C-alpha cells in the first residue's frame, strides 16, 4: 500500500501525469539527473525523493498538471543545459513554458550494468505514523544540508522559492556553510568514531581544507558532500589507533539504548559503518552512497544488507523488524541518540583564521627551506674544485724481495781488527811497512 508524501502527489498520480505528458521514464530520469530505476521507484511508491530532489520533482509534476485556463496540457520539452566549462557534471532542465523557471538537479552516477543489483532497502513509514520524507531538524545532523541552506537563505532574504540568491563574499559564504553543516557533521563523525576530540578535529580539518580550496568547493554542486567526504576520510583513518589520545572511546551515553546503538555502530567494519550512516542517517540514495564511498552500486547494496543484519543481532529494537522497515527505524534511532559529551564546533571565524595561519606558516617554511637549499647550493658551487685531481692508487704488497736488514753484529776478532785499523796511520808507506812487535 502506497502512502502519500507531503508536497508530492500519490505514486499513481505521478505516473499518470508523466504518461499524460507523453514522457518516458528515461526522459524524466535524464531531466531530473537520476537513474531510470529511481524514477520507477518513485512512481511505484517504493522510495521517495528527499531534500532538494523532492522539491525539484514536485515542481516538475506541478508543471505537468493541466491548467484550468488551458484546454490541453502544456507541451513538455526536455532540454539539456550545461553549467559551463570545467569538469562539473552537466545538469538537465525541464521547461513547461518559456516563462517558467527550469528545475535543475545534480547528475547522479549511473548504475553499472551487467551485474545483478541487490534490492535497495526501502524507506517505509514507521508503524506509528505516516512516512515523512522531509529533512529533519539540523541539530540531529541527519538532514539534507544543501536544501536547507537554500531554503534558509531564501527565507532570510525574503526571496520567493527558486529565486537566485544575492551574491556573497567568500568569507560570508564559508561561514554560512559552516554554520549549516558543522553541527551535523560533528554528530556524524562522533557516530563513526565514538570520540569527541577526533570528531571535532575531523570536522575542523575538513573545513580548513575547504577554505584552502574554496574556489573549487564553491563551484562544486554539493559543497556539503565535499566537506563530509573529507571529514569521514580523516575520521576513519587507521593511523589514529597509534595516537594515545584516541586509543579509547569517550564516556558512553547515559541511556542504555543509546549505548547499545553506539557500541553496535563501532563494532561494524569502517566501510559498513560509513555506508549505514550515509544511507540511513544522512538519507542519501543508494547510487549517491555508492559514489561517495567509491564503490559500485551492487557492492554498496550488499554492504548495507550485511550491516543491517549485524545491527539487528546487536540492537533489540531491530530484531523483529522486517528488512524493508529497518532503514526508517535506524534513522529514528540515530536522531534520538544523545551523546554524553558536548559536540559544539568552534566558531567559523576561528576555523578560518586557524587555516589561514597554517597556510602562512607552511608558506614561510617552504620559502625558508628553499632559501637554505639555494644558499647550500651556492656555497658548494663556490668551494668545489675547478680541475680534476685523480686519486692516488692504493699500495700493493710485493712478494719475493728479501727483507731489508742492517750490518751484522761484530765479533771479538772483528772488533779488534776494526780498532787496529782505526789506530794505524791513515796514509803513507808506514802503514804497509812491516813492524816487529
Amino acid at each position: 500500500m502506497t502512502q502519500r508524501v507531503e508536497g508530492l502527489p500519490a505514486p499513481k498520480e505521478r505516473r499518470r501525469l508523466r504518461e499524460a505528458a507523453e514522457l518516458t521514464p528515461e526522459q524524466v530520469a535524464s531531466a531530473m539527473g537520476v537513474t531510470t530505476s529511481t524514477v520507477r521507484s518513485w512512481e511505484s511508491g517504493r522510495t521517495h525523493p528527499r531534500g532538494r530532489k523532492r522539491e525539484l520533482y514536485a515542481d516538475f509534476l506541478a508543471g505537468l498538471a493541466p491548467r484550468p485556463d488551458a484546454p490541453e496540457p502544456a507541451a513538455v520539452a526536455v532540454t539539456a543545459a550545461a553549467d559551463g566549462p570545467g569538469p562539473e557534471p552537466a545538469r538537465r532542465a525541464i521547461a513547461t513554458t518559456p516563462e517558467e523557471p527550469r528545475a535543475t538537479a545534480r547528475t547522479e552516477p549511473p548504475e553499472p550494468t551487467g551485474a545483478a543489483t541487490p534490492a535497495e532497502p526501502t524507506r517505509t513509514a514507521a508503524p506509528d505514523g505516516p512516512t515523512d520524507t522531509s529533512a529533519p531538524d539540523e541539530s540531529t545532523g541527519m538532514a539534507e544540508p544543501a536544501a536547507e541552506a537554500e531554503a534558509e537563505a531564501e527565507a532570510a532574504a525574503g526571496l520567493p522559492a527558486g529565486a537566485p540568491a544575492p551574491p556573497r563574499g567568500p568569507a560570508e559564504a564559508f561561514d554560512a556553510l559552516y554554520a549549516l553543516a558543522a553541527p551535523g557533521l560533528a554528530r556524524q563523525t562522533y557516530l563513526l568514531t565514538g570520540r569527541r576530540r577526533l570528531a571535532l578535529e575531523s570536522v575542523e580539518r575538513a573545513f580548513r581544507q575547504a577554505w584552502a580550496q574554496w574556489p573549487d568547493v564553491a563551484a562544486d554542486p554539493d559543497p556539503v558532500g565535499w566537506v563530509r567526504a573529507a571529514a569521514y576520510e580523516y575520521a576513519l583513518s587507521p593511523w589514529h589507533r597509534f595516537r594515545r589520545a584516541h586509543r579509547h572511546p569517550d564516556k558512553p551515553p547515559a541511556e542504555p539504548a543509546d549505548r547499545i546503538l553506539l557500541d553496535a555502530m563501532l563494532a561494524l567494519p569502517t566501510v559498513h559503518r560509513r555506508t549505514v550512516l550515509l544511507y540511513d542517517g544522512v538519507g542519501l540514495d543508494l547510487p549517491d552512497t555508492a559514489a561517495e564511498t567509491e564503490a559500485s552500486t551492487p557492492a554498496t547494496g550488499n554492504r548495507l544488507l550485511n550491516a543491517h543484519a549485524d545491527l539487528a543481532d546487536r540492537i533489540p529494537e531491530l530484531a523483529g523488524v522486517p528488512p524493508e522497515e529497518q532503514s526508517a527505524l535506524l534513522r529514528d534511532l540515530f536522531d534520538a541518540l544523545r551523546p554524553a559529551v558536548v559536540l559544539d564546533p568552534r566558531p567559523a571565524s576561528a576555523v578560518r583564521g586557524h587555516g589561514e595561519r597554517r597556510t602562512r606558516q607552511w608558506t614561510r617554511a617552504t620559502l625558508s627551506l628553499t632559501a637554505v637549499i639555494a644558499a647550500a647550493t651556492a656555497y658548494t658551487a663556490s668551494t668545489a674544485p675547478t680541475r680534476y685531481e685523480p686519486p692516488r692508487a692504493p699500495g700493493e704488497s710485493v712478494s719475493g724481495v728479501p727483507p731489508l736488514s742492517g750490518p751484522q753484529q761484530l765479533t771479538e776478532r772483528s772488533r779488534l781488527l776494526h780498532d787496529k785499523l782505526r789506530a794505524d796511520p791513515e796514509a803513507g808507506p808506514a802503514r804497509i811497512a812491516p813492524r816487529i812487535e
Side-chain angles (χ1 to χ4, degrees), residues 23-57:
L23 292 177
T24 62
E26 290 77 9
Q27 291 175 327
V28 178
S30 176
M32 295 297 298
V34 296
T35 59
T36 305
S37 60
T38 303
V39 175
R40 297 186 186 277
S41 300
W42 292 350
E43 293 181 353
S44 63
R46 188 166 58 91
T47 59
H48 304 285
R50 297 192 177 199
R52 183 61 177 170
K53 292 181 182 178
R54 180 172 62 84
E55 298 177 3
L56 297 175
Y57 192 48

Side-chain angles (χ1 to χ4, degrees), residues 175 178 204 208 346-357:
D175 294 348
Y178 184 87
E204 290 188 7
R208 288 199 303 266
R346 293 195 302 168
S349 58
V351 176
R352 254 191 308 109
H354 183 66
E356 293 173 354
R357 287 192 299 271

Side-chain angles (χ1 to χ4, degrees), residues 247-421:
R247 288 183 180 177
H248 304 287
D250 293 345
K251 181 180 179 181
E255 295 294 334
D258 294 342
R259 288 199 301 269
I260 294 176
L261 176 62
L262 186 59
D263 293 341
M265 282 291 295
L266 297 179
L268 294 176
T270 55
V271 63
H272 290 186
R273 201 183 315 162
R274 183 174 183 177
T275 303
V276 169
L277 187 60
L278 289 174
Y279 186 84
D280 299 324
V282 180
L284 299 183
D285 294 337
L286 193 61
D288 292 339
T289 304
E292 187 156 334
T293 55
E294 298 180 355
S296 63
T297 303
T300 304
N302 290 329
R303 291 172 180 176
L304 196 61
L305 294 177
N306 294 332
H308 283 178
D310 294 341
L311 292 176
D313 295 339
R314 295 184 175 93
I315 301 177
E317 289 85 348
L318 293 176
V321 179
E324 61 273 8
E325 299 181 2
Q326 291 180 352
S327 181
L329 182 56
L330 274 175
R331 184 181 182 87
D332 296 338
L333 293 177
F334 288 149
D335 294 341
L337 188 141
R338 294 294 177 266
V341 293
V342 180
L343 299 174
D344 292 336
R346 293 195 302 168
S349 58
V351 176
R352 254 191 308 109
H354 183 66
E356 293 173 354
R357 287 192 299 271
R358 286 179 62 90
T359 302
R360 288 194 297 267
Q361 291 175 358
W362 278 107
T363 303
R364 293 171 182 172
T366 303
L367 294 177
S368 302
L369 180 61
T370 304
V372 170
I373 294 176
T377 304
Y379 175 78
T380 303
S382 61
T383 57
T386 58
R387 56 189 178 85
Y388 176 72
E389 296 180 0
R392 294 183 178 180
E396 297 181 1
S397 60
V398 180
S399 60
V401 178
L404 180 63
S405 60
Q408 300 293 331
Q409 188 176 5
L410 298 176
T411 61
E412 183 64 21
R413 182 179 177 180
S414 299
R415 188 180 60 78
L416 293 176
L417 180 60
H418 182 269
D419 293 343
K420 181 180 178 181
L421 292 174

